[in-house]
Amino acid sequence: SLWVEEVARPAGAGAAVSAMSFRELRNFCEVMRSLGYHRLISMENFRSPNFGLVADVLFWLVHRFEPNCAIPDDIDTEAQRVHFIKAIC
């Protein structure tokens, strides 16, 4: 996956999540810039969890392919974030 890489574990043990590598982050920033993303994305944006940026990128990408889609843009609460991700997928 572009955002995180899940490592398989035995059932019930959960999944470990590792961060993107420096190269993956750099490439992602360059690709978003080349696609015309309206905001400058730097490596610093990913030093800590940044759901707002992830949601903005997903919202922007979906609307590039389907401009008339209806996706909620409220992401203040956990329930709203889950609803947003379900609407995107």
Side-chain angles (χ1 to χ4, degrees):
S1 144
L2 182 60
W3 298 104
V4 293
E5 179 180 295
E6 292 187 29
V7 178
R9 291 187 173 207
V17 177
S18 63
M20 292 172 63
S21 71
F22 176 83
R23 184 179 54 129
E24 290 170 326
L25 284 173
R26 185 191 66 218
N27 290 345
F28 173 74
C29 294
E30 290 175 11
V31 167
M32 293 304 291
R33 194 171 20 256
S34 70
L35 289 173
Y37 182 64
H38 62 277
R39 177 178 161 187
L40 180 63
I41 300 176
S42 72
M43 301 286 288
E44 292 298 315
N45 292 124
F46 297 99
R47 295 250 179 236
S48 61
N50 192 342
F51 188 82
L53 177 59
V54 172
D56 190 52
V57 167
L58 290 172
F59 192 84
W60 181 80
L61 284 170
V62 167
H63 276 94
R64 272 192 62 119
F65 289 102
E66 187 59 50
N68 298 322
C69 67
I71 298 172
D73 58 356
D74 280 338
I75 56 168
D76 296 330
T77 67
E78 182 180 351
Q80 289 172 329
R81 291 177 180 195
V82 168
H83 184 64
F84 172 81
I85 295 297
K86 285 182 177 181
I88 290 287
C89 296

